[in-house]
Amino acid sequence: MDARIGIRNTKSMLFKGLIVFLAFLITLPLIVVLLYIIKQGVTQVNWHFLTHVPTPVGEPGGGIANALVGSLLMVGMASVVSIPVGILTGIYLSENPHTKLAYWSGLCVDVLQGVPSIVIGIVVYLWIVKPLGSFSAIAGSCALAIMMLPIVIRSTEQTLRLLPPSLKEAALSLGVPYHRVIIKVIVPCGFAGILSGIMLSVARIIGETAPLLFTALGNSYLSYAVTKPMESLPHVIYTYATSPYDDWHNLAWGASFILLMFVLILNITTKLITRKWNIQL
Amino acid sequence: MEHTVVSASKFNAWFGDNHVVKDVSIGIEKNQVIAVMGPSGCGKTTFLRCINRMHELIPGATAKGSLKLYDDEVYNMNPIYVRYKIGMVFQRPNPFPNLSIYDNVVAGYKLNGLKMAKADLDNIVEKSLTSAALWKEVKDSLHKKGTFLSGGQQQRLCIARAIAMEPEVILFDEPTSALDPISTSSVEQLFHELKENYTLIIVTHNMQQAARVSDKTAFFYLGELVEFDNTKQMFTAPSDIRTQNYITGRFS
């Protein structure tokens, strides 16, 4: 009997050791990549880098102001469309899970989430770039908005579905009309979850290159015109990293570092928000 | 004969094809505590939820027949108005987790967007919490979240929330089944005080509770209202054999 317990304990220890080892193994490359980008990029970043546009080959200096502005502008425009539409769709799906419409739109959301981003780029190219006759920031943010929608929808839906039905009943039993129940009770109670879904979707699309290749294209100059081509962070990395010049490689490393910091900050903020605003049910 | 507040005649309710409340006729008088008891699945909770029209919120749920609040047909009134007039307390305490204790009490006003002076709201909060026997315990922490309270306190907060709307009737759906014995007895004590101003209809699984708190008891069995009489009469000399069997524990 004692011997058997010994064997069992050893098995448990081995199993525990294995999962700890695997967790460590997974974390290691991530940290190495992170540190490498930071090491390569951090020396490039200074005020000049953030406020100037790239210089031609051979000229010193130059920065990524155009890409920074472009990325923020396009992600901003995509968010303005996707967040309200996504939240409302998410509310519909969580409130009416058994309707036909919910079944089909849920399916579409899943499929949309699985569509390769380059395909979305091509579709937006055919729908917007071609008719308008020019690559544009609007087309870029459309592609990003399509990428963003399914993430916002699903996270909203899943957050709201976890809320107990008794919460809604409590509000309804006080004579509160349905729309106010949703706005004043259901959404505030799921706020942390909805917000973290939004943050993660922003973090996701800010690094997307493929949908921007055929839509926003890129622009070596600082531009605020939404109907004209516009630079973006991932695209600047793509262009400069594939160039043969060391100066440009450094620029790409700097841009990578900035992009990484964006994503890192968004993720950390999300964690903090969910911890702080999470509502105890 | 006292004034009848809630009356039903030939009232039926369904879930899809499942006929759960059958031809119920009952008259409930003002300022009384009515216990509704019966075995699981007998339709007592469904009947209760018909009174403030919460039943119809479940997909496929339907109801037919006459159900009146005073002289008005409940099913001809706007459900929102019905729920103003008929409050409800649920099986599990369900304070709004995003609101403070204070806001939970006046949730009926705030969530409906009714603008009121701060002094009036303060007044309602104190009055309602006092009636729910919770004021002394929470008066110094009114702005903490309602979910920090214990289960029994949360349930009394929910009662305060219902009282705050000054309804005619308050429905209780097994209000103590999720509470410990001490919290249960504090809620039961409340019933005696609340009936001075309100009419209470309490669904309960617990026969001792029905006997302790109610003036009249309704016994439901398989969707029918078998017997409705003074509680004392019902527990000492029930007129229907099914009631007698239930009370003596032959089935449950």
Side-chain angles (χ1 to χ4, degrees):
Chain A
M1 191 64 194
D2 282 348
R4 284 200 61 86
I5 287 178
I7 291 167
R8 285 174 162 201
N9 282 340
T10 323
K11 278 187 189 163
S12 290
M13 294 288 283
L14 279 175
F15 183 71
K16 207 172 170 188
L18 185 72
I19 52 180
V20 168
F21 173 71
L22 288 177
F24 179 73
L25 205 67
I26 272 296
T27 323
L28 199 65
L30 282 176
I31 289 175
V32 171
V33 169
L34 215 67
L35 288 179
Y36 190 67
I37 295 174
I38 290 173
K39 184 181 146 257
Q40 295 282 333
V42 78
T43 48
Q44 302 298 320
V45 177
N46 50 40
W47 188 243
H48 180 87
F49 182 77
L50 295 176
T51 51
H52 285 76
V53 296
T55 51
V57 188
E59 264 182 57
I64 53 159
N66 54 343
L68 210 55
V69 167
S71 265
L72 291 179
L73 212 61
M74 284 192 284
V75 169
M77 286 195 296
S79 307
V80 166
V81 178
S82 282
I83 292 171
V85 174
I87 290 178
L88 290 174
T89 313
I91 291 173
Y92 175 79
L93 291 182
S94 79
E95 285 292 307
N96 307 282
H98 301 300
T99 56
K100 267 216 169 102
L101 179 60
Y103 175 79
W104 287 108
S105 56
L107 196 72
C108 290
V109 169
D110 285 341
V111 172
L112 198 59
Q113 202 156 19
V115 173
S117 53
I118 190 122
V119 175
I120 289 176
I122 295 168
V123 169
V124 173
Y125 173 82
L126 287 175
W127 282 0
I128 298 178
V129 176
K130 266 203 144 179
L132 290 181
S134 153
F135 294 105
S136 63
I138 288 192
S141 46
C142 278
L144 294 181
I146 296 173
M147 297 287 307
M148 196 176 172
L149 257 180
I151 310 175
V152 179
I153 293 174
R154 278 292 179 221
S155 66
T156 305
E157 183 201 356
Q158 269 148 22
T159 308
L160 298 188
R161 249 193 217 176
L162 289 179
L163 297 176
S166 65
L167 202 60
K168 205 162 93 190
E169 289 199 322
L172 287 169
S173 77
L174 290 167
V176 182
Y178 182 69
H179 69 279
R180 294 192 76 99
V181 174
I182 299 293
I183 297 168
K184 297 272 177 181
V185 179
I186 301 297
V187 171
C189 286
F191 190 64
I194 295 174
L195 197 63
S196 71
I198 290 170
M199 303 283 257
L200 291 177
S201 69
V202 169
R204 168 81 203 281
I205 63 163
I206 202 166
E208 280 294 341
T209 327
L212 296 176
L213 280 176
F214 313 114
T215 52
L217 189 64
N219 188 338
S220 334
Y221 303 99
L222 184 60
S223 160
Y224 298 99
V226 292
T227 52
K228 297 274 154 42
M230 197 179 268
E231 194 57 270
S232 60
L233 280 173
H235 186 260
V236 93
I237 297 169
Y238 172 75
T239 336
Y240 289 81
T242 49
S243 74
Y245 315 110
D246 275 348
D247 277 1
W248 283 15
H249 290 169
N250 287 337
L251 204 79
W253 279 118
S256 307
F257 174 75
I258 297 290
L259 192 56
L260 186 75
M261 285 301 123
F262 262 121
V263 175
L264 208 62
I265 288 168
L266 277 171
N267 275 293
I268 292 171
T269 320
T270 308
K271 288 242 153 91
L272 291 178
I273 284 173
T274 25
R275 200 172 301 164
K276 189 163 190 313
W277 290 352
N278 200 16
I279 284 167
Q280 291 284 307
L281 291 170
Chain B
M1 182 76 184
E2 285 170 77
H3 203 34
T4 306
V5 186
V6 174
S7 57
S9 83
K10 301 252 171 219
F11 188 80
N12 292 277
W14 291 265
F15 285 115
D17 296 331
N18 194 2
H19 198 175
V20 281
V21 174
K22 296 170 190 162
D23 277 335
V24 168
S25 300
I26 195 170
I28 290 165
E29 288 150 18
K30 205 172 168 60
N31 295 21
Q32 286 207 317
V33 180
I34 311 297
V36 180
M37 63 174 196
S40 301
C42 67
K44 56 192 190 307
T45 295
T46 306
F47 178 66
L48 191 79
R49 289 169 62 93
C50 286
I51 300 176
N52 68 346
R53 296 192 55 180
M54 295 291 284
H55 172 64
E56 68 204 47
L57 296 174
I58 297 159
T62 49
K64 219 180 200 171
S66 165
L67 186 65
K68 283 181 175 173
L69 174 66
Y70 293 112
D71 294 325
D72 299 317
E73 222 22 274
V74 164
Y75 274 78
N76 291 339
M77 291 156 80
N78 186 325
I80 287 171
Y81 182 72
V82 173
R83 293 174 201 149
Y84 275 141
K85 289 284 159 199
I86 305 177
M88 187 164 200
V89 175
F90 296 84
Q91 188 167 2
R92 300 194 135 267
N94 53 359
F96 298 114
N98 58 328
L99 300 181
S100 64
I101 293 173
Y102 184 100
D103 286 339
N104 256 295
V105 177
V106 289
Y109 297 93
K110 289 222 161 163
L111 296 180
N112 276 306
L114 305 171
K115 292 269 177 293
M116 289 178 84
K118 175 95 172 64
D120 289 340
L121 285 178
D122 287 347
N123 218 342
I124 293 172
V125 169
E126 178 167 357
K127 223 177 104 200
S128 312
L129 285 172
T130 309
S131 312
L134 192 60
W135 175 249
K136 278 188 197 145
E137 293 159 55
V138 301
K139 66 178 174 197
D140 298 320
S141 48
L142 286 175
H143 294 285
K144 277 193 185 163
K145 292 267 184 283
T147 36
F148 281 112
L149 300 172
S150 72
Q153 287 174 321
Q154 285 188 19
Q155 193 63 306
R156 277 179 282 152
L157 178 60
C158 294
I159 295 173
R161 181 173 71 188
I163 298 172
M165 300 300 287
E166 302 199 330
E168 298 289 336
V169 182
I170 307 176
L171 311 174
F172 294 82
D173 184 6
E174 298 180 33
T176 60
S177 61
L179 303 183
D180 64 83
I182 293 171
S183 305
T184 299
S185 83
S186 73
V187 170
E188 283 182 6
Q189 262 169 17
L190 257 182
F191 294 149
H192 287 290
E193 292 153 28
L194 289 176
K195 75 170 181 179
E196 288 185 14
N197 296 310
Y198 307 97
T199 308
L200 312 181
I201 306 177
I202 301 162
V203 163
T204 177
H205 257 308
N206 182 328
M207 272 184 278
Q208 286 78 15
Q209 182 171 62
R212 278 195 300 266
V213 302
S214 66
D215 300 305
K216 281 185 154 190
T217 299
F219 173 63
F220 275 70
Y221 184 60
L222 299 177
E224 285 174 59
L225 176 61
V226 173
E227 195 168 344
F228 179 52
D229 208 337
N230 287 325
T231 300
K232 216 173 207 170
Q233 177 74 25
M234 185 103 122
F235 278 95
T236 48
S239 56
D240 194 289
I241 182 74
R242 288 169 291 178
T243 318
Q244 192 177 350
N245 284 343
Y246 183 68
I247 289 170
T248 51
R250 304 253 168 94
F251 62 83
S252 63

